[in-house]
Amino acid sequence: MPQISIEQSLHNSLLNAAQEVQKLHLLELFQLQPTRAETYRLDVSPIYLDYSKQALNQQAIEGLIALAEHKNLASARDAMFQGDAINHTEQRAVLHTALRNSERLNKVDAHTAAEIEHTKQRMLNFVDGIINQSLLGFTGKGITDVISIGIGGSFFGPKMLQSALEEQRASAINVHYLANIDGAQIKHMLKALNPETTLIIVASKSWTTAETQLNADAVMTWFKSHFSDQQAIKQHWVALTAKPQQAQAFGISSDYIFPLWDFVGGRYSVWSTIGLPLALSIGREGFESLLAGAASMDKHFCEAPLNANMPVMLALIGYWQQVYLGYNNLMVLPYSHGLKALPAYLQQLDMESNGKSVNALGDEIANSGPILWGAEGTNCQHSFMQLLHQGKQKAMVDFIVPAKGDPHYPAHHNMMVANGLAQAQALMQGKTTQQAFDELIASGEDETSAAALAKHKAMPGNTGSNTLIIDALSPFTLGALLALYEHKVFCQGVLFGINSFDQWGVELGKQLGKTLMSAIETQDLSQLDPSTQALLKHINL
Ligand SMILES: O=P(O)(O)OC[C@H]1O[C@](O)(CO)[C@@H](O)[C@@H]1O
């Protein structure tokens, strides 16, 4: 008999488990194993994960854990935390975890640890100064508004957390984010702002991002049209960057430049000085608490056994659904208006990290991370959920439900929770044609039309989901939640065999964007493909 590799044998056993599990409806899995809800859950305060509604059995879970062990997931995790250059295509360590008070877990050298702490304190002292108005604008007025110019990782995290933590504001400062290159947005934003009381932050790790540069130039022109004095720029312009010299060359004072480092990837940078605009809203304590929440998840990730490790289990469940059940979409549905921007944040985190097609050796891989999207509940129920209930496409689903809502509106919160959990139930249970028929008869329909209508009202159900109950929208909890997803994405990168920390795919669009810009400026379209030429001619710039 030919020998098969360990990997192949693990794969075969998982294929077998998938076949077994798919013979049964989720409701039958619950009948067979009534304790699923107690068995398939993890409680890692402040997050409770229920995965009992997933099409999983013990054989699948054991097979997945064996796969994680075979892929040396724990050593890969340790390599990240100890600062190995795991981002091998850029020869960089990946140490965003070192930014969140988890020195004990990270083996960064003493000099780097001191620099991280010093930078954080500098940033938070600055935040204190702006909030308590010991730092003032050029004309002696306090700062009321901030324009934060940045895109991608220099935008999504602070913006998303700021809206999630609106209730935890520590200041009355309004932060306006300028990410996209849309003149209409700048015009409206600037029209409403007074440069005397506005602080302008340029957040760009690389200091080369075209959108950020163009926006920074436009805002600088506006600012200089009011104050051309260099001292005014010194007091109103801030840079968050790994390229301090370039920021200085742009005119920003070194006192107002807050660095980050190569070992912090853009989409992992909200914990760094990139979080400054957020800190101006939630204050020192709020920001420290965010870091502490993330650190608590780091500790759990480093210490919990694989089968009780929330990021690991979340990654394995997703891997299982994708590779063995054939799903390729992950829908994230936060039942919270405050978390409305979470899907967009997670899109960059997951898809920029795991949207790759080769492994570390450069060999083609069969699977990469999922297509991630979503929207806040209950709004999503009135748009795309219909497709999940009755359409032919299936998706993985993460429901995220805060246990506490606004105390002034208890009925709203109750309805929110009820709807989130009801959607998970509906996806699992579905409705048989017989059930639909019986309901129609009970409502007075005659038999012929009930039989016809029942077919349209039936839904298969049997769609699994994770439900994550988070205690409330607090900085600590959200720190833990984001760290959970970061580590999940990391684990899936290890399972797929890819480097989650580079993003070469983004580069081609940037290059072509530049070529097109110069074709537009020189009006020479001759080198462009016929479709692009025709489009530009039609737009007639
Ligand atoms: O902070 P920077 O260097 O301006 O980059 C912004 C974003 O651009 C990207 O390189 C590509 O979108 C992201 O990884 C990054 O978060």
Side-chain angles (χ1 to χ4, degrees), residues 151-154 204-207 209 266-267 348 352 503 506 510:
I151 198 163
S154 299
S204 180
K205 181 185 162 190
S206 61
W207 208 265
T209 304
R267 52 193 173 274
Q348 189 201 11
E352 203 169 76
Q503 59 283 321
V506 184
K510 289 187 187 172

Side-chain angles (χ1 to χ4, degrees), residues 174-307:
N174 296 308
V175 186
H176 313 266
Y177 290 87
L178 188 53
N180 206 351
I181 32 172
D182 190 324
Q185 187 196 357
I186 302 196
K187 192 175 74 190
H188 286 296
M189 182 182 281
L190 295 181
K191 214 176 352 175
L193 294 176
N194 174 0
E196 278 184 277
T197 55
T198 301
L199 187 76
I200 299 128
I201 298 174
V202 184
S204 180
K205 181 185 162 190
S206 61
W207 208 265
T208 56
T209 304
E211 293 93 328
T212 302
Q213 302 270 306
L214 187 68
N215 279 333
D217 287 343
V219 177
M220 186 60 99
T221 304
W222 166 78
F223 188 80
K224 282 185 173 166
S225 71
H226 294 85
F227 301 114
S228 51
D229 198 307
Q230 193 55 33
Q231 186 56 34
I233 296 173
K234 273 191 167 179
Q235 284 178 248
H236 286 262
W237 281 75
V238 174
L240 317 174
T241 185
K243 298 280 185 269
Q245 280 159 1
Q246 278 88 327
Q248 246 178 310
F250 182 72
I252 299 179
S253 151
S254 58
D255 289 348
Y256 277 24
I257 297 176
F258 299 91
L260 67 151
W261 304 272
D262 264 352
F263 57 73
V264 182
R267 52 193 173 274
Y268 300 87
S269 64
V270 69
W271 324 102
S272 72
T273 53
I274 293 294
L276 194 149
L278 168 70
L280 283 169
S281 176
I282 63 172
R284 173 186 286 269
E285 244 176 71
F287 195 76
E288 294 272 28
S289 175
L290 177 83
L291 298 181
S296 77
M297 187 53 71
D298 294 342
K299 189 165 155 47
H300 165 77
F301 180 47
C302 286
E303 294 174 357
L306 297 185
N307 64 358

